[in-house]
Each structure stands twice: as C-alpha cells, then as structure tokens.
C-alpha cells in the first residue's frame, strides 16, 4: 500500500493549468483535424471511400475504451505516471500517422493515438481542478469545456489549411510542440498521486460492452460494401455484437460491482441527459465528417476553403456556450434545453436541402445554427444531469455522459453513409460518379472501376506529393459529374 504524495510541486499552478488546457485541446483537435485533409490522405494511401469513416471512428472508439479504465490505472500506477505514459504513446501515434504508407497502417496508428488520448481528458480535468482554488473551479471547468469543443470545431479549418499548403503530414506534426510542452511542464511541476488501496476493476463488463459496440460499429461500417447479411463477416460481427451486449446486461443485473454502477441509472435526469448526449455525439461529428467530402468532391471546393466553412459553427458553439454558462443558476435551464434542441433539429433539417446546385451559404448557415444550438444545449444538459445526482456519483456520471457522446459519434459516423446509400441510391450513385470524374485520369478508370475505385487527385501533384498545385480536373468533367454539361448551374 502506497501513501499519497503531494499532488503538485510548490508553485507552478498556472503552468500546470495551461498544460492541462492545452492537452484537452490537443486530444480534441486530433479527432477532427483530418476531416478537410481527407482528399490528400486518400490519394497518398489509396484509401477507399468506405474506409474514410475509420479515420475518425478508430480514434474515438479506442479513446472510449481507455477512458473507461483511466481512474483504475491512475489509482494503481499513479496519476503522473499514467499521464506521462499517455503523452508518450500519443506522440508515437502522431509520428506513425505521418509514416503510414497504407490505409491499414494509418488506421492502426489512429487507434494507438486514440487509445493514448483517452486518459488525457479526465486526468487533465482532475489536475486542473486540484491546481485551482475552489472559488474558481467552476470557471476552470467552463474553460476546459471550451477548449474541448474548440478543438473539435477548429480541427477541419486547421487541417485544411495545413494540408493544402504544407502537406497532410503537417496536421500531425503541429501537435508535437504541444506534447513537448505538456510533458516538460508535468514532469517538472506535477507531483505523483495514487490511491492508498487499488480498487478492483470490472474487466469482464468492459470487455463485453466493448465487444458489443465494436461488433455493431464494424457491421454498420462494412455492411453496405459486403451486401449486409449475404456476407459471413457481417453475420460474425452481428453475433459478436448481440452476444457482447447480452453478456453485459446479464453481468450488470447479476453482479454488484461493475464499471457502470446501477445507482447511476436510478437518477432519471442523468439517464435522460446520457441519451441526449449520445444524440449530440451522433449529430456533431458525423455532420462534420460528411460535409467536407461533399464540398470537396461534389462542389469542387479546395480543402482549405472547406475547412474555413466550419469556422462559423465553432464560433457560434463557443459563443453560445459561454453566454449560456453565465446565466445565473436560479434561472430555469429548461428553456435553454428546449431552445438548443430546436436549433439543432432545425439546422439538421436545413442540411436535408443540400444539393450540387447550391453555393457555400447554406452550409455556413446550417453550421452556424447547429453550433449555436449545441452551445445552448450543453450547459443546460450539465445542470439537468447533475442537479439531482448524489455528489459522490458525479465523477462516474461525468464519465458516463462523456462515453455516451463518444459512442454516439462512432455509431453516427458508421450509420450516416449507410443510410445515405440505402435510402438515396440515386444520390449515392451521383456522388460516386462525381468522385470518379474528379479523380480519374485514365490509368485507373477502366472496366474495373467499381472493384478498384480511383483515388481523388484534384491537385497537380503526384499521389505522394504534398502542397498546393494547379488543378488536374477540367471544368467540363465536373459539370458532367453534376449533370450540368452546359455549365448552367456553374454560372
């Protein structure tokens, strides 16, 4: 049994707080930073269109698994040791991302990077709250939330600009100075802290729940490509998902100790907030992931411009979040909850009107409204979730809400393309034809096009090259892909 050590060295609280906030931003921005850079990544790695979702879902799914065991790891091995190890593995994942030469290597590197990011957010929160006086903890909690949402929102703009002018590996190199600063600050100023007695961890519960989620995600990701249940692989994934969820439910109902305590589900407000958080995750990242390829492949916008179009969403989200958080606690949160949900629903309804004939305005308007709605909704959701929850259960309740949002994002990324292909085959076919028109240069567009999709090469550099160049696609090709050979829509 080890004794707790001082949590922080004397002084340096401001530096520790800055490092914790930067770590939160860094792990969040790396979720969405590949978004606008996908054409360059696809061209270099020969990545098929149905593999693109794994760029995001592999990172998020791995992060969700390791986030679940962070408290146990920190209690057993020490908070500082786990934090430094996570930073080291995260840095290794960044380097491996840039060295990948195939799509499989890239996805494996993203899994490693995501697994390392899982402990960073909860440990950064714990470190930040401990380094902050009690009177300022609420303000620091707001700052941490802003950094996280700002990271997800600014990722596409930052990634689009870097990949367009400096090559797609630069979107991962940009995080290396941040990891160096965080590691150095924590090594010098953060003291070790571990639990006096290590608590047992529910390995079986986490394993069965993860098996159910991963099986479901793979089923949704690969179902359309493999013609659903005509494939043996889909049957295996479906059985693994059903069996995993079944064993997890039985385990929860028959065991007293598991990684999701049953006491959490007795609070109606927390359960409802968890469901809404899942829905928010289902909406926020998947719409970002689907909008950028649409703008780049169908509307022929450059990757940097595509990234810039996500900025109004981020500005509205952070602005509404800060303003809503300043509302006194005595004010009823329900109008903000309902107003935020109404804005998000209306923004998604506007997105149903996207078409190849539009310009950039509908995308910016819908994104701005969606960001404003999410900014209003999140603070109200926190008040609803924890207003009636036992204070002893708040750390686990916070983890439950974060996990639901992460899993909502992974399922949303998998469901979005599948629904598009199943319910709108004409639109899906048109999207594929536009993608071929933007990428085919003769050598890869023979009779085997469907078996070996062509990679987008919209700039005048080789697939392995990086940087801005002249366009390699004729305007007539784009107009034919849009069904507008005369150029009427373009004018």
């Amino acid at each position: 049994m080890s004794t707790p050590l001082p949590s922080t060295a004397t002084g340096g609280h401001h530096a520790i707080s800055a490092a914790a906030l930067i770590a939160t931003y860094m792990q969040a921005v790396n979720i969405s930073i590949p978004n606008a850079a996908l054409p360059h990544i696809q061209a270099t790695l020969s990545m098929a269109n149905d593999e693109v979702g794994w760029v995001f879902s592999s990172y998020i799914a791995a992060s969700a698994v390791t986030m679940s065991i962070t408290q146990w790891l920190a209690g057993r091995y020490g908070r500082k040791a786990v934090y430094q190890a996570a930073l080291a593995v995260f840095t290794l994942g960044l380097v491996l991302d840039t060295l990948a030469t195939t799509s499989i290597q890239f996805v494996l590197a993203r899994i490693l990077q995501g697994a390392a990011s899982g402990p960073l957010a909860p440990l950064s929160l714990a470190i930040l709250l401990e380094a902050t006086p009690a009177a300022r903890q609420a303000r620091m909690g707001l700052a941490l939330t802003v950094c996280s949402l700002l990271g997800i929102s600014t990722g596409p703009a930052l990634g689009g600009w870097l990949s367009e002018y400096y090559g797609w590996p630069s979107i991962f190199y940009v995080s290396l100075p941040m990891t160096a600063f965080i590691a150095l600050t924590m090594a010098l100023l953060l003291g070790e802290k571990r639990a006096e007695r290590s608590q047992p961890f529910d390995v079986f519960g986490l394993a069965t729940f993860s098996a159910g989620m991963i099986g479901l995600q793979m089923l949704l990701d690969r179902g359309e490509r493999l013609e659903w249940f005509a494939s043996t692989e889909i049957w295996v994934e479906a059985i693994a998902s059903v069996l995993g969820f079944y064993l997890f439910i039985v385990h929860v109902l028959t065991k007293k100790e598991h990684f999701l305590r049953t006491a959490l589900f007795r609070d109606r407000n927390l359960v409802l907030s968890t469901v809404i958080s899942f829905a928010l995750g289902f909406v926020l990242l998947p719409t970002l992931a689907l909008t950028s390829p649409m703008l780049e492949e169908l509307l022929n916008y450059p990757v940097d411009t595509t990234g810039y179009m996500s900025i109004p969403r981020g500005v509205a989200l952070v602005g509404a979040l800060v303003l809503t958080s300043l509302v006194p606690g005595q004010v009823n949160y329900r109008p903000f909850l309902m107003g935020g949900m109404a804005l998000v629903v209306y923004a998604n309804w506007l997105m149903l009107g996207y078409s190849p004939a539009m310009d950039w305005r509908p995308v910016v308007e819908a994104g701005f409204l969606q960001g404003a709605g999410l900014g209003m909704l999140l603070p109200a959701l926190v008040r609803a979730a924890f207003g009636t929850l036992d204070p002893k259960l708040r750390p686990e309740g916070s983890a439950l809400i974060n996990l639901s949002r992460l899993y909502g994002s992974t399922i949303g990324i998998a469901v979005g393309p599948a629904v598009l292909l199943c319910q709108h085959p004409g639109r899906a076919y048109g999207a594929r034809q536009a993608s071929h028109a933007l990428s085919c240069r003769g050598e890869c567009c023979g009779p085997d096009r469907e078996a070996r999709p062509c990679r987008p090469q919209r700039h005048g550099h080789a697939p392995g090259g990086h940087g801005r160049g002249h366009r390699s696609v004729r305007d007539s090709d784009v107009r034919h892909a849009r069904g507008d050979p005369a150029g009427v829509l373009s004018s």
Side-chain angles (χ1 to χ4, degrees), residues 122-143:
L123 290 181
S124 294
L125 175 61
I127 292 169
L128 186 66
L129 293 180
E130 192 168 281
T132 305
R136 298 178 55 199
Q137 286 185 355
R139 187 174 299 177
M140 276 299 178
L142 174 62

Side-chain angles (χ1 to χ4, degrees), residues 183-482:
L184 182 63
T185 302
M186 297 301 182
L188 295 177
L189 301 177
L190 183 67
E192 185 59 282
K193 182 178 181 181
R194 60 173 62 91
E196 293 186 3
R197 183 171 56 188
S198 179
Q199 299 293 327
F201 182 74
D202 180 22
V203 177
F204 181 81
L206 177 62
T208 53
F209 183 78
S210 299
M213 290 299 301
I214 292 172
L216 177 61
Q217 182 182 334
M218 293 188 67
L219 183 152
L220 295 171
D221 268 334
R222 294 179 57 79
E224 190 274 335
R225 184 181 190 181
L226 300 178
E227 298 183 356
W228 298 104
F229 290 98
S231 167
T232 303
E233 177 187 327
I234 298 300
W235 276 104
V236 171
E237 291 161 356
I239 293 172
S241 179
V242 172
L243 183 62
F245 284 130
Y246 171 76
L247 292 175
F248 173 72
I249 292 172
V250 171
H251 178 70
V252 168
L253 296 177
T254 56
K255 299 292 183 179
K256 292 183 178 180
E257 297 293 334
H258 42 79
F259 83 101
L260 290 178
R261 294 171 62 179
T262 53
L264 293 171
F265 300 97
R266 298 192 187 105
D267 190 289
R268 184 177 59 184
N269 284 357
L270 179 66
V271 172
L272 182 60
S273 299
T274 301
V275 173
I276 296 176
S277 182
F278 181 90
L280 292 182
F282 193 91
V283 168
L284 177 59
L285 192 60
T287 52
L288 277 174
L290 290 173
T291 300
S292 290
M294 176 197 70
L295 292 171
E296 291 158 0
E297 296 185 2
L298 294 183
L299 303 184
N300 201 32
Y301 282 104
V303 293
D304 54 344
T305 304
T306 298
Y308 300 153
M309 290 185 195
S310 67
I311 293 178
R313 181 202 305 254
V315 171
L317 194 156
V318 174
L321 176 72
V322 172
L323 292 176
T324 307
S325 299
L326 296 177
V327 175
Q330 296 80 5
V331 178
N332 194 338
Y333 63 84
R334 290 180 178 83
F336 297 96
L337 193 67
M338 299 305 296
M341 291 177 63
L343 277 177
V344 171
V345 171
Y346 179 64
N348 280 38
W349 179 79
L350 290 178
M351 292 178 186
L352 295 176
Y354 286 172
S355 75
M358 69 180 183
D359 58 8
W360 55 270
R361 291 179 182 83
V363 176
V364 171
E365 291 169 0
F368 183 87
L369 291 174
Q370 187 188 65
L374 290 169
M376 290 177 58
L377 186 55
L378 289 172
L381 196 63
V382 170
R383 289 177 58 186
F386 299 109
T388 57
L389 187 65
D390 186 344
K392 296 179 181 179
L393 297 175
R394 284 180 181 175
E396 295 178 56
S398 178
L400 177 62
I401 289 178
N402 288 331
L403 285 175
S404 68
R405 188 179 69 251
L406 290 175
Y407 281 121
S409 296
T410 61
I411 298 300
I413 290 173
V415 167
V419 171
L420 177 66
L421 290 172
C422 290
Q423 295 189 357
H424 303 283
R427 292 184 189 180
Y429 178 78
R432 288 196 295 268
Q433 296 305 311
S435 176
H436 291 319
L438 291 172
S439 60
C440 297
R441 305 303 303 156
E443 70 276 10
C444 64
C445 293
D448 63 341
R449 176 184 303 184
E450 292 299 322
R452 182 167 56 88
C454 306
R455 299 273 48 83
Q457 299 177 20
R458 297 175 47 213
H459 300 287
H461 50 75
H466 310 293
R468 195 177 184 96
H470 296 291
R471 299 208 179 271
S472 60
V473 181
R474 295 175 301 173
D475 289 341
S476 59
D477 293 335
V478 178
R479 291 197 299 268
H480 277 286
R482 296 181 183 177

Side-chain angles (χ1 to χ4, degrees), residues 115-161:
S117 77
L120 291 180
L123 290 181
S124 294
L125 175 61
I127 292 169
L128 186 66
L129 293 180
E130 192 168 281
T132 305
R136 298 178 55 199
Q137 286 185 355
R139 187 174 299 177
M140 276 299 178
L142 174 62
L144 196 83
T145 303
V146 169
C147 286
S148 179
L149 296 175
L150 200 62
I152 295 176
S153 302
T154 60
L158 181 62
W161 179 74

